[in-house]
Amino acid sequence: MRIDRITLRQIRMPLVHFFETSFGRTTQRDMVLVEVQGEGMSGWGEVTAGERPFYNEEWTESAWLILRDFAAPRVLGRDLASAEDVAPLTAHIRGHQMARGGLEAAIWDLQARLHGNPLWKEIGGGARREIPCGVSIGIQNSVEQLLDKIQTELDAGYQRIKMKIKPGWDVDVVRRVRERFPRIRLMADANSAYTLADSDRLKALDEFYLMMIEQPLAHDEIVDHAALQAKLDTPICLDECIRSAHHAEQAIRMGACRIINIKLGRVGGFSEARKVHDAAQAAGIPVWCGGMLEAGIGRAHNIALSTLPNFVLPGDVSASRRYWARDVICPPVEVTPQGAIQIRDQAGFGYELDREFLQQVTVREETLGPRPA
Ligand code: OSB
Ligand code: MG
């Protein structure tokens, strides 16, 4: 598979509703798309970095530069035996998994199209025909607004609710949610807003029998999570901490988590995501697919990933309409009244690109070819 050209595109789209986490509020997304051309076909990837380096160290601009100056030149003009070759070719770049992962995912998509396979098949998935869906609900302006939003998502069929927490929006708010919805599958995500000094506060959440608490402590702190997990009845799920299969193995060995959120971008693409998945599966740790407010391409890639066998818990992959008035794919991602997304069988990521709309939302574009010899 010879890689002839790579086009980077930055698209800008307003979110239907703001999304707020412990590290800030997002109202508009700026995403980098990667189109890889080779053997007369195109494959597509989406970089999942945010607009600011607050979830991890990456952001839109850093992803653009890493791709343009360091990652793309490693594969341009090269004849790859497999998409598996991409991760090792960019492994010398420290960090920046999301930028590298956007390129890697595009090459998996290209390979799937060249083989005439749906992406889920190409990556070794297909354990299920539909994936169970949950939603991630941000911090709201009031508890009433949060309760209303939860009701809306339950009415739409979603199978579990994740609510964002931070100091000052935690125990009392979770209590109100539990009073109103005593039986729903509920979890909380802190996005690294606490330290071990807050153990008592986090322990107080045990009484609400949450499915899990996601990433309570620092983004790079596995050791303290192990200490916290020993004190909590509630399972800890790690998100930010797990950037590789090696991290997953270390976290599992230390007892730092009982569940893992796998994000395609955060771990650098499909090859590493599969390794994280396998390491967790071997240890009896369930996984689910996290989201990064993706547009259609990233969303479709998450759906393919979620068909691997150990993705047994509902993930954060939900309908396009929760984020976008119009998505860049046709049809948009839709969720059944039972709260599931059905798997599609066309080659590649499974949806058509809405090229006219893609053009409308593009704010920057650059095509890279092989370096002259
Ligand atoms: O921690 O899972 C997270 C969004 C942006 C950054 C981090 C996170 C999230 C979400 C949203 O929870 C998931 C989604 O709906 O895409
Ligand atoms: Mg999270």
Side-chain angles (χ1 to χ4, degrees), residues 215-233:
Q215 194 70 37
L217 309 180
H219 68 100
D220 54 357
E221 184 55 79
I222 291 175
V223 177
D224 282 358
H225 277 104
L228 180 64
Q229 181 68 89
K231 295 184 190 170
L232 300 184
D233 295 328

Side-chain angles (χ1 to χ4, degrees), residues 55 162 164 189 191 214-215 239-240 261 263 288 316:
Y55 165 81
K162 160 167 140 184
K164 293 290 190 176
D189 185 0
N191 288 107
E214 186 177 341
Q215 194 70 37
D239 173 356
E240 283 89 330
N261 163 342
K263 287 182 181 167
W288 53 275
D316 279 346

Side-chain angles (χ1 to χ4, degrees), residues 19 21 23 55 135-137 162 164 189 191 214 239-240 261 263 288 290-294 299 316-318 322-323:
F19 189 80
T21 65
F23 58 78
Y55 165 81
V135 289
S136 175
I137 302 182
K162 160 167 140 184
K164 293 290 190 176
D189 185 0
N191 288 107
E214 186 177 341
D239 173 356
E240 283 89 330
N261 163 342
K263 287 182 181 167
W288 53 275
M292 290 295 294
L293 312 175
E294 287 90 345
R299 208 159 284 283
D316 279 346
V317 185
S318 55
R322 295 190 61 248
Y323 308 82

Side-chain angles (χ1 to χ4, degrees), residues 245-351:
H246 184 61
H247 289 154
E249 283 157 10
Q250 288 179 316
I252 292 167
R253 201 190 315 143
M254 293 195 66
C257 63
R258 297 191 196 137
I259 300 170
I260 292 176
N261 163 342
I262 299 184
K263 287 182 181 167
L264 191 54
R266 195 194 66 225
V267 301
F270 281 106
S271 296
E272 196 68 22
R274 220 161 51 178
K275 288 180 190 155
V276 175
H277 165 276
D278 293 351
Q281 188 171 33
I285 299 280
V287 304
W288 53 275
C289 185
M292 290 295 294
L293 312 175
E294 287 90 345
I297 298 169
R299 208 159 284 283
H301 284 233
N302 286 341
I303 294 167
L305 181 66
S306 303
T307 71
L308 291 174
N310 195 32
F311 281 83
V312 290
L313 295 170
D316 279 346
V317 185
S318 55
S320 297
R321 69 159 62 90
R322 295 190 61 248
Y323 308 82
W324 317 114
R326 181 172 169 185
D327 203 343
V328 299
I329 55 167
C330 293
V333 173
E334 280 168 347
V335 167
T336 68
Q338 290 73 38
I341 294 172
Q342 267 149 4
I343 304 310
R344 293 162 62 90
D345 290 327
Q346 69 198 74
F349 65 71
Y351 296 78

